[in-house]
Amino acid sequence: MAPLKRKSSVLKDAKLPNSKTAPEAGHARKKSRTFTSLPPEKDAGLHAATKSAPPPIHKTPITSSLIRGEEAAFPRGGASVLTPLEHKQIKADATRDVLFEQSQPKASRNRPAEDDDDDGDAAESRPTSVKHKTKSRSKSKKETVPKAEEPSVRIEGLGYRRLVPGSLILGQVVEINRHDVALALPNNLTGYIPLTAVSDEVNERLERLLAQDDSDLDDQEGDDAGSTRDDDLDLNTLFTLGQFFRARVTSTTDEASATGPVTVPAKRRIELSVNPRLVNEGLSRSELIVNNTVQASVVSVEDHGLVMNVGLGDASLRGFMSSKQTGRSSSHPPLEPGAVVLCMVSGQSANGNTVKLSADPLKMGHLKKAAFLSTAPTIDAFLPGTAVEFLVAEVTSTGLAGKVMGLLDVTADLVHSGACASAKALTKRFAVGQKVKGRIVCTFPTVEPKKLGLSLLHHLLALSPLTVPRDGQSHPPVDVLPLSSTMEQAKVVKVVPGFGLFLDTGIQGVPAFVHISKIADKKVDTLAETTGPYKVGSIQTARIYGYNPMDATYLASMQERVLQQPFLRLEDVEVGQVVKGTVEKLMLNADGVGGLLVNLADGITGLVPDMHMADVALSHPERKFREGMTVTTRVLSTDPEKRQLRLTLKKSLVHSDAPIFTSYDEVMPNAQSPGTLVKILPSGAVVQFYASVRAFLPVSEMSEAYIQDPVQHFRLGQVVTVHVLSVDARAQKMTVSCRDLTALGQQQMAELKALKIGSVVSGKVSEKSADDLTLELVGSSLKATMVIGHLTDGSEQKNASAHKRVRVGQTLNDLVVLQKKEAKRLIILSGKPSLVADAQAGRLVTSFEDITEGSIVHGFVSNVTPTDVFVRFAADLTSILPGRNLPEESRHLPDFGLRRNQSITAAVESLDHSQQRFVLSMTDEVTASSSKTGSTEAIINPVDPSVTSPEQWSLGQLTKARIVSIKATQINVKLADNVQGRIDVSQVFDSWDEIKDRKHPLRRFHTHDVLLVRILGLHDSRNHRFLPITHRGAKVPVFELSAKPSELTSFNPDYLTLNKVAVGSTWVAFINNIAQDYLWVNLSPNVRGRLRHLDVSDDVSLLQDMEKNFPVGSALKVHVTHVDVASHRLDLSARSMTSSTTGFASLAKGMVIPGRVTKVTERSIIVQLSETTSGHVGLTDLADDYSKANPTGYRKNEIVRVCVTELDVSNQKMWLSTRPSRVLNSSFPVTDPEILAIDQLKVNDVVRGFIKNVADTGVFVSLGPQVTAYVRVSDLSDSFIKDWKSGFEEGQLVKGKITAVDSLLNHAQMSLKVSVIDKDYVPPTTFDDISVGQVVTGKVRKVEAFGVFIVVDHSANVSGLCHRSEIADQRVGDITKLYEEGDVVKAKVLKVEPEKRRISFGLKASYFVDGNEAIDESDDSEDGMDGVMLGDADEEFEGEEVEGEDRDEGVEGGGVAVEEPTGMTKPRNGLRATGFDWTGSVLDQDGTGLESEMDDDETNAPKRKKRRRAEIKVDQTGELDAEGPRSSEDFERLLLGQPDSSSLWLQYMASYLQLSEVGQARETAERALQTINVREETEKLNVWVGLLNLENTYGSDDTVEDVFKRACQYNDAQEVHERLASIYIQSGKQEQAKSLFDAMVKKFSQSPSIWYNAATFHMQTLSSPGTARSLLPRALQALPPHTHVATTTKFASLEFHSASGDAERGRTLFEGVLSNFPKRWDLWNVLLDLEMSKTGRTDQKGDREGGEGQDEGGRDERIRNLFARIVALPGLKPKPARAFFKRWREFEVRLPSSTGRVQEVENRAATWVRERSGGTEGDGNA
């Protein structure tokens, strides 16, 4: 059905409420007003506060007025009791009722209200019943006294859920896409205008184009038609950024993610239309009054204006907009038919059929000129975009409410009332009854009575985009504070409780809003203005992620994950940047995996094409990449408009340090970069770089060898490193090469360097193509190229004929070398007879110096332009031949009748020495033109009145000139109004003393001064050169003048030239230009020289900043060092005569001179003293303190002061020093003396030096420039170093003592041992130094329940045990309360066991009283604590049961839990004679306790403890006496009866190890493996573990690896891996254990125990919780689904048990599992056990009552809450309920003061039973 146009305030889309919702809606309107100014969505930015968050009580109270209840003014002479509005309302209501009854009589009445407003505004959004409203109005007519209270108007903002089809909104264009336009809407909403929703005129154009497409398809020209459509309907010509529109909502949809998980929120999209026919619906002709706004579309463009369609459906009504009223600037495209404009009605024609419109923002937004709508025929005239004046009826702290015309309700929310942007409260800015101007921004179609949304923001009132001043100009806010910026010091200016914060951005009027959900990563429950971390005035850190120009508000986030996020927008990602991402999805196609989706940040996902997944083609990419894994990628290209991002995983690209090509403009020839082959052709390949940069790789440049088919040598996706041959940025074309620039051998390089340009050679043709020849030079191995155009001097046909006669293998003679490019190994030859003849005669032009004016030269055409011809000579020398200098007959021919490579014979017309340029001519008038004397044009207003004609200004003439301007190097003057002149700075002063200001010599002159000058000649201003006075070629000459006093008194016509400058002469020079290495100076206008930076001054400090200390124009007193007239080269120096010469012959030892750093390495710097002299500064010469010697602190081209320390004249070598004591002051402190000769060294000298070389026999240490000392391996350290080379590297600073010096052999030897260097050195105490009764000091290394381990001070890691019985004279309860790690103690040695290398200490105070020390060892021997081993002392006691020690504590030492194999005979845990566990039994200990039973009688811990003690006491010897076997014969006799007993074999091995017979122990193990029956797998495994333990302790890594591989072959591989991991952990080899676990989780990924053991190792042994936690997602991905719950639960339990764990994280894991499996009562029991274990209040007998927690009361309450949650679960059966209540009661009984708690639990249980009994499924068992 077509849209129904009516003037009622209720739109056609509103739904009739049923009988239940009408009273609720009425009740909702009677509630007190609640602020809901912003949309309720979290992620939409500014959101509406819900009803649960009313304004705080302490805020300013709401101010009300009776103005709201005023009756509308009746029209004069009113004829009816009802107002026109009421008449119209009643009529519209009746029409609507009839329409609805006809269309949906039943569905309308029974249809429930929309329930999508889940934020509490559903009742408010429902329309009120029509019948109810009619009754209310009828009643009001009868009453004479109005109601005392009228329902208040709710102040609310626009939100997504409040938008319905038909809503009208004012929006601003923020983005113009290909097929739609993005419109910014109030309250951080964004809508989209499709191409078909612009105007009827655009739709007609679309239909015409579609019809044209159909016809074009019939003619097979569809592609052209498509391009025409894109051109004709470019949205950029219809819309401009920042333009305002009135838009109508056509649809609101939630687009769910098609590929993502279900939990991903749907993407909301608002479809809009700006068609005037829709947005002006409801307006009538009578409502088009002045100052009202209407949206119109352009129908046609006329001469004086635009014909507009206002969309009212009246064909007779048209709009007209004058060309002056369009408001379009020159930067905007002109309006074209179909464009839509928001206009203001400025008038009507006399007949009313033409409406005059204006779109000028200065007129529409100028409210002071009454450009607002104050009255209207009906309230339907007030639509978004209209400026109105309203009467304030209510002011709150969160918005305004008022009325327009006394009838229409309007509101302004928190943002659009200006409350956020102003520090002043609204209640102080506005008063009830005040008239305020605003602009309508939205309608609320579903609200009755009709209500509109207003904005008081200044930029919306002015209808212009918001700008802020900065640097004297206006900028958009996003230019001042860009998106993704981080505000480090953002001040909170406003707090909206339950809603969010407003921050000060530093931009006036533009705040930033932070929603409550984006304040922190964790949930923030409450916000307050005066308290809390987010109160007003607090400083926060926030990051900008959005900006809404309508609200003039930034959107920000304070979440740590957002602050740390690398990118917020695709625009933030830079091409070529190396980033880390997570594989999100594998893209599958018909060939398998076709690419990867990699997530870089929230909302930013890039595609890795299949060819960029790796450097090599992957057969099974799914094995290499898995979803969730982290990868390092590099950005290939970005396309923000299409939201596309391309990445690469190729390591050759990701890890490449070469410069990247992202734009053709940045690429220079010879640049190198890696690229990817994306297309291979027979003629070459296409190479793709970054962004859209591509290049062509010719087949001839692919390799040094000949390639016939590129497909055979290259593949798609291959990365190749190329260098650029040529690039055309304008055409976006580039040619590259793969040929190696350094492929030439040394012989070829030498031949290439010896080859001279211009030499005549012969060549043998090796290859021939259509365009060129490849030749091998006769007598060398070099190859050269000659193009076909250089075969002859003749025509193109003659060259082709000569090329046809050439054969491969033929030798061509008389060829001249034109070019030689060593970098490209390119040699270009020419066979042109003209060039060969010049070369043979020595006339070939190879440099600028070979050119003389007027000479005849031979060259060839390089390029032809429409105006000039470029002529090239040898050595790539190029000149210009202007078109005017060609013969008359050639000037009008195409390309002047010339072609490339054509021979040219021309004359040199002019030279420019400064720019090294020259101009050619082929006319006969070249020489005649130089004889011209200039023009005889009359002069105007000469400065010198005596001059009347130009001829009077002759050479040497004195005249007057007026200063026009003063430059750094010259004074510009005029001799007359039409005659210019210049005075070079070198022609002002006669001597050095005359220059007062030497930095600015010309400062004393002033503009308009008249000077007496003498004419020297003419100045060529085009080429900046000096000409003689006779060379007048211009109509208006520029004279070269002199103001020198000596020149004014007497004139010498002999100019200064280069051949008159003598070496050693002194001159005054003036700086003309500053280059990188030189200063260019002028001695006279035509003599120019150069100074090296080092020769500018003797003061090195001045050379650091040349431009500051020696600006252009400054004067220098220089002397000549070198003159080369032939090369036009003049070298000067401003240094003193004695120090200016820096040649090798002029250097002397001890001389301090400046130098320039040319090379910096990690161990030295190279300093250049002159062009031919350089020196080396080593590490020992860099500083007086070797610890401060850092060569990298110098930078290339830096000027430094150096001192010559040594000279080797015969070898032309020198040694330099930058020591401050050398170059600055000899009195400077010297930490490391300078050693220049070996004679300075004496035996026993302690010196420092730098390692120069690390050899197999020792280390060589550099002590000075030429002094090196040798250190033997035995002298490197006091301790044994297995891999000593890894501890020493070149450049390392070491300290040692000289042990031997041989001056004759120039040898020195030194030692680095501390014992040799330090005379007070005391060797560390060893085990053999410890004796019984000795008193030592030490530190506590570890505290255990059975005693403390003590490390002796100043020892070689000598440690022992003090048993708990020897700690104090009284009984000690808890040792951990007495000692902790690191405590300093004094101990007495009680017992030393050399054979076991054990030491027992005593700490009793009685041992240290009066020297009487009584040693009682009886208690120790009874407990078996006779001592402890060195090194692995901790492990010695881990397997023993000590009273009070928990069985689970053994796992904390680094073991892992493993399931015990069925039927395994558990060996004894003894047999620790050698200090390690033979069985690896630590893996059998499981301290997690994850399986918790509900039956309280199942307590397994005591049973395990008893069984373990019984196993230890088992007598397995059987036939021997109680002392057991002692000799090998005893073991052999026992093995005859028990050959399969692994325990007996292990004891046998241990007996050999006690005797240090490691070989015999290995043999015994091998015998055992051969003897034990193959069916006894467990017994064999025990022997294998023992052998592994033996090799780990006494063998090498190779022997362990060998035994390990064999054990895996004969046993279960997983169990062998686990046992070896336990061995590594016990022996402290954590790195080996880590590597083994990494291999295990890959090899046995289907085993849950492997993942848990690996996590336990990382969490407890390595204290690396992050690594342990990262294993869980990997485990869940690899393990079968049925194991996920148990695995997750074990990992959660690990968080509770481990000291490095986080119990809160464990609770989170449990909550995730229990939310999916709430009826897993065993999991609830496990969680209870874990929580109780944290408090120490377990429900097992004999357990501790007091935990070690910090807040036991809080944890007890957590356990109570957990019990309460369990018993309240639906579906809890009686049996588990009884168990849980019983556990709860027992838990409360053990707590102090538990009587009330116990009674509460019993009452809960009784209540639960009653509720169950009264339910539908009662159970008497409860």
Side-chain angles (χ1 to χ4, degrees), residues 1-28:
M1 185 177 71
L4 178 63
K5 293 187 285 186
R6 45 190 195 84
K7 300 180 181 180
S8 171
S9 61
V10 181
L11 297 181
K12 62 181 178 65
D13 303 81
K15 300 176 176 59
L16 289 177
N18 53 25
S19 59
K20 292 183 179 181
T21 59
E24 295 174 1
H27 178 69

Side-chain angles (χ1 to χ4, degrees), residues 1017-1076:
L1018 295 177
H1019 177 73
D1020 187 355
S1021 59
R1022 179 179 181 184
N1023 297 320
H1024 303 285
R1025 59 176 182 160
F1026 175 81
L1027 300 175
I1029 194 66
T1030 58
H1031 197 98
R1032 296 189 179 184
K1035 294 183 179 179
V1036 183
V1038 177
F1039 288 91
E1040 190 75 54
L1041 308 173
S1042 174
K1044 284 186 176 182
S1046 60
E1047 297 278 0
L1048 299 179
T1049 56
S1050 61
F1051 175 64
N1052 182 11
D1054 191 8
Y1055 301 111
L1056 177 65
T1057 58
L1058 188 59
N1059 55 3
K1060 297 177 183 179
V1061 179
V1063 175
S1065 58
T1066 303
W1067 302 85
V1068 177
F1070 299 89
I1071 299 176
N1072 179 267
N1073 186 24
I1074 302 176
Q1076 181 178 0

Side-chain angles (χ1 to χ4, degrees), residues 230 403 485 552 655 834 897 907 948 968 979 1003 1304 1368 1612 1648 1771:
D230 292 339
K403 284 185 176 291
S485 300
H655 301 308
S834 59
T948 58
V979 181
R1003 180 171 289 179
L1304 296 178
D1612 180 46

Side-chain angles (χ1 to χ4, degrees), residues 1580-1649:
K1580 276 184 173 288
L1581 177 61
N1582 291 339
V1583 177
W1584 279 110
V1585 173
L1587 185 56
L1588 283 172
N1589 223 330
L1590 183 148
E1591 296 295 348
N1592 178 64
T1593 305
Y1594 297 101
S1596 62
D1597 293 341
D1598 295 336
T1599 58
V1600 173
E1601 184 69 18
D1602 180 62
V1603 174
F1604 173 64
K1605 290 180 179 179
R1606 292 171 55 204
C1608 290
Q1609 293 176 359
Y1610 295 101
N1611 301 275
D1612 180 46
Q1614 177 179 338
E1615 188 166 1
V1616 174
H1617 278 77
E1618 290 174 337
R1619 294 303 181 98
L1620 180 58
S1622 178
I1623 292 171
Y1624 279 148
I1625 294 172
Q1626 283 185 313
S1627 58
K1629 297 182 179 181
Q1630 313 301 353
E1631 287 299 324
Q1632 288 89 332
K1634 180 177 180 298
S1635 301
L1636 186 60
F1637 273 116
D1638 292 341
M1640 289 165 63
V1641 296
K1642 295 178 181 178
K1643 188 172 184 178
F1644 309 107
S1645 59
Q1646 297 295 310
S1647 173
S1649 62

Side-chain angles (χ1 to χ4, degrees), residues 38-48 187-189 499 513-518 545 551 554-556:
L38 302 168
E41 303 87 43
K42 280 188 198 176
D43 299 328
L46 307 179
H47 313 278
N187 295 75
N188 193 39
L189 296 176
F499 183 44
F513 173 73
V514 183
H515 190 263
I516 189 171
S517 64
K518 296 186 179 299
Y545 68 87
D551 304 330
Y554 282 104
L555 303 176

Side-chain angles (χ1 to χ4, degrees), residues 572-599:
D572 299 336
V573 183
E574 298 180 1
V575 174
Q577 186 175 1
V578 178
V579 296
K580 286 188 177 293
T582 305
V583 177
E584 192 173 83
K585 186 178 181 182
L586 275 68
M587 307 295 292
L588 303 179
N589 55 21
D591 299 329
V593 178
L596 303 176
L597 290 181
V598 178
N599 181 265

